[in-house]
Amino acid sequence: MRAALKPAPSSAASAPTLYSQSSGPPGLSKRARPRRVIAVGGGKGGIGKTLVSANLGIALAQAGMRVLLVDADLGGANLHTCLGVQPTATLSDFVRSNKVQIQDIIIPTGVPQLSLIAGAQDVLDAANLKYAQKQKLLRTLMAQPVDYLLLDLGAGTSFNTLDFFLVADHGVLVVLPEPTAVENAYRFVKAAFFRKLQQVEAQYGIEDLVESALTTREGALRTPHDFVTQVRQHDPAAGARLERDLQSFRIRLVVNQARTDADMNVGTAVVAAWKKFFGLEMDDLGAIRYDDEAWRAVRKRRPILLERPDSPASQGLQRIAGRILTLDGNVSGVSSTP
């Protein structure tokens, strides 16, 4: 069975808005921007974020979308390697020089409608990206006239990584079906949640509560649900507004390297646990089967979706892309053909 993505008919009614309602770093929320922003992150390294990013970008481009892939792994960029592309200019050049324009570092990938901005090569400088540099980069990326801006993020919970994740319409969290990976995923989402609170704390007058929640001393708030409850106790009206606003904080989960049928259902269990213990919604986009063809494709510097489009991993990636397109109203549906 091979999943085929059907582009939606071109019409103003079906096209997503060019403005995002999601909150992000100050000054970005009302700017013209790509129709949708996807950020792919995770709680640890080696879980397949780059594989997901590269092939998700290809699947969206094959569905008729204009896609710009950005390697925002500021500590270890390798998206260009996964795509088999050798960049001549990278994010380093744009961030360090006012003379370099964003168009100077956008390169073709060989896949129609899919372009790439390769990651910074100067690891230490990039990993410590200054606030002004980050704002410049985000503002410029948000101005690109594409259907999807897809950010491949680094592992962990640095502020830079979290800020890139939070600016997205779809924050895609990749996790392996292993206890340690799931635990790290929970930590990543909690860190992203409280980073989002830091961005809006002045608006609700909850600076002291946020500071208390971020401490490790005894009595500190443990979960997002605990935090909203405390805000309600402090100010019921502010707590109600905050709870409504936080509905936009909705993670899209992808399970990678699922070896068994039980592994394929890990996403459902994680979503249920997050709702039960943290009081927030999370969406299960699906699972990607473990597939020897995937690592063989990586060794060839070829995306699995191009190297073996009928493989189990490719089928899983196609289904995930189809679900994102359906969420955005960009396809009439995903059909499966024998």
Side-chain angles (χ1 to χ4, degrees):
M1 301 285 286
R2 180 179 176 184
L5 305 183
K6 298 179 180 179
S10 178
S11 70
S14 64
T17 178
L18 287 171
Y19 295 85
S20 171
Q21 300 302 316
S22 60
S23 59
L28 289 176
S29 59
K30 295 182 179 179
R31 293 180 180 271
R33 56 179 286 175
R35 288 192 172 94
R36 287 292 184 268
V37 180
I38 301 172
V40 180
K44 61 182 291 188
I47 58 177
K49 294 184 303 297
T50 297
L51 179 142
V52 171
S53 298
N55 289 281
L56 182 56
I58 292 169
L60 294 172
Q62 289 177 339
M65 301 295 132
R66 296 166 300 164
V67 183
L68 176 58
L69 272 171
V70 180
D71 194 335
D73 185 344
L74 302 180
N78 58 11
L79 184 56
H80 63 281
T81 303
C82 186
L83 291 166
V85 175
Q86 185 59 48
T88 56
T90 71
L91 275 179
S92 293
D93 301 293
F94 176 76
V95 169
R96 291 185 307 185
S97 173
N98 291 327
K99 296 181 180 180
V100 176
Q101 302 299 310
I102 197 71
Q103 290 76 17
D104 299 331
I105 64 171
I106 297 177
I107 59 177
T109 63
V111 177
Q113 303 214 98
L114 179 67
S115 300
L116 169 70
I117 295 180
Q121 300 299 303
D122 300 323
V123 175
L124 292 179
D125 286 344
N128 295 289
L129 198 65
K130 295 181 175 62
Y131 177 81
Q133 293 173 320
K134 177 172 62 180
Q135 291 299 100
K136 170 192 173 184
L137 179 58
L138 283 172
R139 283 195 303 269
T140 307
L141 291 176
M142 290 300 177
Q144 298 311 299
V146 294
D147 296 309
Y148 283 95
L149 175 69
L150 203 161
L151 308 174
D152 178 25
L153 306 181
T157 57
S158 71
F159 282 168
N160 283 333
T161 296
L162 295 177
D163 287 347
F164 280 113
F165 189 81
L166 289 172
V167 82
D169 301 290
H170 301 298
V172 176
L173 180 65
V174 181
V175 63
L176 297 183
E178 301 170 357
T180 55
V182 172
E183 183 179 352
N184 284 328
Y186 284 139
R187 288 174 180 164
F188 180 92
V189 180
K190 284 181 65 176
F193 175 85
F194 285 109
R195 180 61 173 170
K196 185 177 181 69
L197 288 180
Q198 286 181 309
Q199 295 174 354
V200 301
E201 60 184 9
Q203 176 183 346
Y204 292 97
I206 55 175
E207 294 94 329
D208 290 343
L209 290 177
V210 173
E211 181 180 359
S212 174
L214 291 174
T215 65
T216 56
R217 64 176 181 271
E218 189 68 25
L221 299 172
R222 300 299 182 189
T223 72
H225 178 73
D226 293 340
F227 183 83
V228 173
T229 299
Q230 180 114 353
V231 174
R232 279 185 175 273
Q233 294 172 352
H234 177 73
D235 184 337
R241 293 198 309 274
L242 177 63
E243 188 170 21
R244 287 194 300 270
D245 287 349
L246 289 176
Q247 294 306 309
S248 64
F249 182 80
R250 192 167 183 139
I251 304 298
R252 318 287 194 192
L253 188 73
V254 169
V255 176
N256 190 28
Q257 297 185 20
R259 295 174 182 265
T260 66
D261 290 342
D263 288 349
M264 295 292 290
N265 295 320
V266 163
T268 302
V270 170
V271 167
W274 179 254
K275 174 67 175 178
K276 179 180 179 179
F277 294 109
F278 297 93
L280 293 173
E281 299 293 337
M282 179 185 287
D283 296 313
D284 179 14
L285 288 183
I288 303 167
R289 283 277 187 187
Y290 178 86
D291 192 342
D292 284 339
E293 295 298 336
W295 65 260
R296 290 192 180 101
V298 169
R299 288 191 174 186
K300 294 180 180 179
R301 297 163 58 101
R302 287 271 294 171
I304 182 67
L305 210 55
L306 299 182
E307 182 71 9
R308 290 298 302 272
D310 293 321
S311 68
S314 292
Q315 292 177 23
L317 287 157
Q318 286 275 11
R319 285 192 292 269
I320 290 166
R323 285 170 185 151
I324 290 176
L325 287 166
T326 300
L327 285 170
D328 292 336
N330 281 330
V331 294
S332 56
V334 180
S335 66
S336 293
T337 56

